[in-house]
Amino acid sequence: MSHDTSTETIPQRAEAIATAARAGAKAWSGVGLAERRALLQQFAGLVEEHASEWVRIATEIKGLTPGTPPVGEEWISGPWATLYYAGHLAQTLVRMEQGGAPTDGFDIRPVPGDRVAVEVLPHSVWDRLLLSGFSAEVWCEPGVSADEVRSTAGLGLREPEAVRGTCVVLGAGNIFSIAPLDVLYVLYADNRSGALKLNPVTDRLLPVLEAIFAPFIELGAVQVFTSDLELGAAVIAHDGIDAVHMTGSEATHDAIVWGAGAEGAANKAAGTPVLRKPITSELGGVAPVIVAPGRWSKRDLEFQARHVATMRLHNSGSNCVAGQVVVLSKDWKQKDEFLAALRRAFADAPARPAWYPGTPGRIDAARSGATPFEEVGGTPERTLLPTLDPREDEAAYSMEFFGPVLGVTELPGTGAEFLGQAIDFANDRLRGTLGANIVIHPRDLKAVGEDRFEQLLAGLRYGTIAVNAWTAVGYLSPFATWGAFPGHTPDDIQSGHGVVHNGLLLQRPERTVVRGPFRPFPRSWATGSMALTPVPPWFAHNRTAHITGERLVRFSIAPGWLKLPKVFASALRG
């Protein structure tokens, strides 16, 4: 419950937040599985109820024109992503309430490297219709058996009464479902109370977030607050806070863990962190888009160019998993045709502001290197770096631009040889391990062979890998995991530590592998795919994204056959 904090000092406010978090953890320990599911369902209803206000505020924050297709990004990456996750997490609770395991009804198969994979998408008839042609698997760490996956799934819900204390969630400022989804994960997977500190960009969403979390706030398990840097630091440091989860930059993570400035650098060099409590994090990185050479039709070139442009231009490039470096084969006969189509896709995508704070400076930094750049049109900020040298330490390989800047580099080879070199390049030269994308024609995939292709995927060290899809589909998939590839250490954190989402509450996930159709419906059928998905609503060029996005929200709160025709009608017009 909100109260007047205008006369309180920073230590007093931090004390109040920590005290409330402690009381909330105790209250949460008394909430069993059935009541936790009921709270989640109430939450979902409130998301749908307040979705229009959520999107209206998001539209204003990002400088979008109401009622235009770019607003669809806010419907899909805001209320719909949140609703979609809440509904699927509730399914996990139902299975556990009934004495089953979260993985009951999910196929598990062996994959390369002594791993097993849990098939998590599609899982329902609605998945098969709304995301027709898309699939996802969670690959577990090497050595984890199928039996272990089944027997350990559930995380904090295995003993809901054994609450693990309190957690401060440092909310992201770019995609507005991140903060509420992170809080749900803290509550249900980590089994802690959650104190959500908003990013200053999202302060205006405080009333909406308080409204959708009202059942949890009334219980005391959640609180939401705006803050400046000083209050945030005081809350994090408070003894009443047991853990921290953050979404943000690597620099912010290091300032929290090691301290700021020269003192922080010295602490990091000495291995003496100032934060002595667990921290999980999702920190973005430089995401590759590996384009396998092949023989493509003109329509394939145009569609996949728009696909790659979407990976960069969605949210004006202010995404932790925005594609940043396109890796092409210098031996691809259609390379120049594809680059021409990519330039057109950038120029033709609907204009939207480069709205995120600091974007102009990051674009200037991207353009100021030795590599030539092109202003490709559409908006003044859209930039192509067409000739990145794979042998040099280009800034694009280490700096996350977080804006509409896309680089291109070239490697030799075709087929499996090219894929192997591109994977080594991504692993060894690009900063971070959050997401990697591969675009490959089904004919060329068949030539490589499925077994060999999966071996190549096993060697690609990223937390989400998307084949003929964008890794954002992994973010949207509730049973998939979202986070860096495991193994980063606090002194070299790169894309972070730990995962979120993970609606099956798997204990030792390693990565998510997403696959999509190479062509949209109806052309998908020409490649042997029965996918029914037209141009996806998250594509930057989709003409009805705002309509489809809202209809997906209204559908998700109460799925039904009578609602499907309107969703499909809008999607097909996109």
Side-chain angles (χ1 to χ4, degrees):
M1 184 176 295
S2 300
H3 64 283
D4 184 10
T5 60
S6 59
T7 61
E8 293 180 336
T9 65
I10 293 294
Q12 288 173 329
R13 292 184 65 191
E15 177 68 30
I17 290 167
T19 299
R22 280 289 190 205
K26 184 176 181 180
W28 191 234
S29 70
V31 181
L33 291 178
E35 190 176 350
R36 291 189 185 197
R37 175 176 52 80
L39 286 166
L40 195 59
Q41 291 168 331
Q42 291 176 52
F43 169 86
L46 290 166
V47 170
E48 193 271 342
E49 180 182 335
H50 294 277
S52 294
E53 180 70 359
W54 179 336
V55 171
R56 182 189 66 78
I57 295 171
T59 298
E60 292 175 358
I61 291 172
K62 298 185 180 185
L64 303 177
T65 302
T68 61
V71 176
E73 294 183 10
E74 301 312 312
W75 280 103
I76 292 167
S77 67
W80 185 62
T82 307
L83 267 176
Y84 197 36
Y85 180 75
H88 283 67
L89 183 59
Q91 295 174 22
T92 293
L93 282 148
V94 168
R95 286 189 289 273
M96 295 184 74
E97 282 178 64
Q98 295 172 346
T103 54
D104 287 351
F106 290 82
D107 292 333
I108 302 177
R109 70 179 184 98
V111 289
D114 190 27
R115 298 174 174 91
V116 295
V118 185
E119 299 181 32
V120 298
L121 180 76
H123 186 67
S124 69
V125 64
W126 309 124
D127 289 342
R128 289 179 174 86
L129 290 170
L130 295 176
L131 290 172
S132 177
F134 289 90
S135 64
E137 296 180 318
V138 176
W139 291 23
C140 295
E141 293 178 353
V144 177
S145 68
D147 287 343
E148 183 179 343
V149 170
R150 294 187 178 97
S151 64
T152 60
L155 299 179
L157 292 184
R158 294 173 64 83
E159 295 181 279
E161 70 283 355
V163 167
R164 299 172 59 217
T166 62
C167 182
V168 167
V169 176
L170 306 181
N174 59 327
I175 294 294
F176 295 162
S177 61
I178 292 176
L181 291 178
D182 288 354
V183 172
L184 290 179
Y185 198 74
V186 163
L187 286 167
Y188 286 85
D190 295 340
N191 204 16
R192 293 184 166 113
S193 68
L196 171 59
K197 174 200 165 308
L198 296 183
N199 184 293
V201 172
T202 60
D203 279 354
R204 290 177 58 194
L205 280 169
L206 176 65
V208 169
L209 292 168
E210 288 183 326
I212 67 176
F213 276 110
F216 297 97
I217 292 172
E218 183 177 352
L219 178 69
V222 170
Q223 54 189 312
V224 186
F225 63 100
T226 61
S227 89
D228 55 22
L229 189 62
E230 187 179 358
L231 175 60
V235 174
I236 290 169
H238 197 286
D239 288 343
I241 299 299
D242 299 307
V244 178
H245 175 77
M246 66 162 292
T247 299
S249 70
E250 191 174 351
T252 301
H253 169 275
D254 282 358
I256 292 169
V257 172
W258 304 104
E263 182 180 355
N267 289 337
K268 187 175 181 179
T272 54
V274 296
L275 182 73
R276 299 186 179 275
K277 57 187 69 174
I279 179 171
T280 51
S281 53
E282 191 267 85
L283 306 175
V286 175
V289 185
I290 298 170
V291 180
R295 191 175 73 255
W296 295 9
S297 70
K298 289 185 178 180
R299 294 179 74 181
D300 291 339
L301 290 165
E302 293 292 335
F303 176 77
Q304 291 299 344
R306 290 186 168 202
H307 192 184
V308 174
T310 291
M311 297 179 194
R312 182 74 262 181
L313 296 181
H314 184 281
N315 202 30
S316 204
S318 300
N319 284 342
C320 53
V321 74
Q324 181 158 310
V325 176
V326 179
V327 185
L328 299 178
S329 168
K330 63 172 58 177
D331 300 318
W332 186 21
K333 294 179 180 179
Q334 293 180 294
K335 176 190 65 178
D336 291 339
E337 288 182 76
F338 177 75
L339 286 173
L342 187 58
R343 290 180 174 95
R344 286 194 297 273
F346 257 67
D348 295 345
R352 61 171 300 164
W355 66 278
Y356 199 79
T359 299
R362 289 189 296 274
I363 292 172
D364 288 344
R367 293 177 172 181
S368 64
T371 296
F373 71 87
E374 299 176 15
E375 297 182 40
V376 290
T379 69
E381 300 85 8
R382 292 178 184 172
T383 303
L384 188 70
L385 309 176
T387 57
L388 297 176
D389 190 332
R391 299 162 298 181
E392 298 294 328
D393 292 329
E394 301 273 12
Y397 302 158
S398 59
M399 179 191 303
E400 185 182 9
F401 293 138
F402 220 66
V405 181
L406 184 68
V408 179
T409 194
E410 297 178 14
L411 298 171
T414 59
E417 176 195 7
F418 168 77
L419 289 171
Q421 290 191 77
I423 285 169
D424 288 343
F425 172 82
N427 286 337
D428 300 337
R429 302 297 306 282
L430 303 184
R431 185 74 178 168
T433 63
L434 184 62
N437 311 272
I438 298 176
V439 179
I440 183 169
H441 193 290
R443 179 174 52 241
D444 301 304
L445 178 55
K446 184 177 180 180
V448 172
E450 185 61 32
D451 290 346
R452 176 67 177 131
F453 187 69
E454 286 205 333
Q455 290 171 358
L456 289 165
L457 292 184
L460 185 54
R461 298 189 297 270
Y462 283 79
T464 298
I465 300 169
V467 180
N468 292 334
W470 179 24
T471 44
V473 179
Y475 174 91
L476 290 172
S477 300
F479 291 138
T481 55
W482 185 252
F485 194 80
H488 296 310
T489 56
D491 61 342
D492 186 26
I493 197 63
Q494 297 204 40
S495 289
H497 168 70
V499 300
V500 290
H501 303 184
N502 187 22
L504 294 182
L505 305 175
L506 303 175
Q507 189 175 78
R508 293 176 60 190
E510 182 185 59
R511 74 183 91 195
T512 286
V513 177
V514 177
R515 298 202 189 203
F518 181 75
R519 292 170 173 165
F521 176 81
R523 292 195 311 114
S524 54
W525 290 30
T527 58
S529 168
M530 300 305 291
L532 298 174
T533 302
V535 174
W538 54 83
F539 264 45
H541 300 76
N542 191 295
R543 295 169 296 187
T544 59
H546 54 310
I547 300 168
T548 305
E550 180 171 6
R551 289 179 180 178
L552 283 170
V553 168
R554 308 307 176 196
F555 177 89
S556 294
I557 191 61
W561 293 102
L562 294 179
K563 295 181 180 180
L564 276 175
K566 285 188 175 182
V567 177
F568 282 138
S570 175
L572 287 167
R573 293 196 306 272

